[in-house]
Amino acid sequence: MINRFLALRFLFWVFAPLVGFAATPAPISITLEQTIGRVVDHNLRVRAEKLNLSAARSEARAEAGLFEPEFVASFGREANRRQNTRERFLSQGASVFDEENEISTAAIEATLPPGTLLRVGGQTRRLSNNLQITGNEEFESFAGVNLTQPLLKGAGVKATLAQLRLATARSEVVLHETRRQLAAILSQAELAYWDLARAVAEDELR
């Protein structure tokens, strides 16, 4: 037992330096430009700043779409049942008015620089009630142009472009903040690189 123990210790003493040498990673050579590139690609603060800048620019682009036309459409059904007054009874000839209508609308809407809301479209109503002759259908339709112009709040080009200007200004602020953060991070990385280079040179000198 003692001889086996001594033999194991002898083998460990002989091969331990070789094992330690094999486990030691080989030194790598990296330039300053490569270091900066890796920091830009993998630093979490840099990624966060890039995401903030992308979000601010997306918000500005979204606000710039204010004047793009928009297509809107809707379909609905309405049902009413009411007891007629004497006046309505005399005009309609029925004590109860019962109706069920279908309403379809489609339009193109756009906002103009003065704040005017332009709407070009139409509406169709399919009427069905107990006053109609059985088997007959009635339709009401409308097509035209509507202009809605605010006169007090929200009127004028400045009021219309206010949100776009704010979004653009926020994007510029985030851009400069991103540049500041990036410059600070890269300066720290460069200082760390030269500290390492100095340490390696001192080690070689010793």
Side-chain angles (χ1 to χ4, degrees):
M1 180 64 68
I2 296 177
N3 293 335
R4 182 180 298 178
F5 177 73
L6 293 176
L8 291 175
R9 289 192 60 182
F10 176 76
L11 291 175
F12 177 78
W13 180 75
V14 171
F15 291 103
L18 298 179
V19 174
F21 177 77
T24 303
I28 61 174
S29 177
I30 184 172
T31 64
L32 178 60
E33 289 75 13
Q34 292 174 340
T35 302
I36 297 300
R38 292 189 179 185
V39 170
V40 172
D41 293 336
H42 301 288
N43 188 276
L44 295 181
R45 288 175 57 191
V46 173
R47 291 184 180 182
E49 293 297 332
K50 287 182 177 180
L51 291 176
N52 291 335
L53 179 59
S54 178
R57 288 178 172 175
S58 297
E59 181 183 359
R61 287 194 298 268
E63 293 294 339
L66 173 65
F67 301 113
E68 294 181 0
E70 180 181 7
F71 176 77
V72 295
S74 64
F75 175 80
R77 297 173 66 94
E78 63 177 9
N80 296 308
R81 182 180 177 86
R82 68 171 184 266
Q83 188 76 26
N84 279 338
T85 62
R86 182 174 297 274
E87 180 182 358
R88 289 177 177 174
F89 172 75
L90 294 176
S91 62
Q92 296 181 355
S95 59
V96 176
F97 179 70
D98 190 6
E99 66 174 352
E100 184 176 350
N101 305 326
E102 296 179 354
I103 304 173
S104 304
T105 60
I108 296 178
E109 297 180 350
T111 300
L112 304 181
T116 306
L117 177 61
L118 172 65
R119 178 184 174 93
V120 181
Q123 181 186 78
T124 300
R125 292 166 53 92
R126 180 179 178 273
L127 307 179
S128 176
N129 53 65
N130 60 341
L131 303 180
Q132 298 171 341
I133 300 175
T134 304
N136 291 340
E137 292 184 347
E138 293 181 309
F139 292 90
E140 288 182 352
S141 60
F142 166 79
V145 178
N146 293 332
L147 290 175
T148 304
Q149 174 62 52
L151 299 179
L152 297 177
K153 184 178 180 180
V157 178
K158 292 183 178 180
T160 306
L161 298 179
Q163 293 299 324
L164 176 59
R165 291 176 177 175
L166 286 175
T168 304
R170 283 193 294 266
S171 177
E172 291 294 328
V173 171
V174 173
L175 173 61
H176 292 297
E177 178 64 19
T178 301
R179 289 177 175 176
R180 186 184 70 82
Q181 292 286 350
L182 185 60
I185 294 172
L186 295 184
S187 63
Q188 293 175 3
E190 187 172 354
L191 288 176
Y193 178 86
W194 290 118
D195 287 341
L196 178 61
R198 179 182 57 81
V200 171
E202 289 181 354
D203 181 69
E204 293 178 352
L205 181 61
R206 291 175 182 176

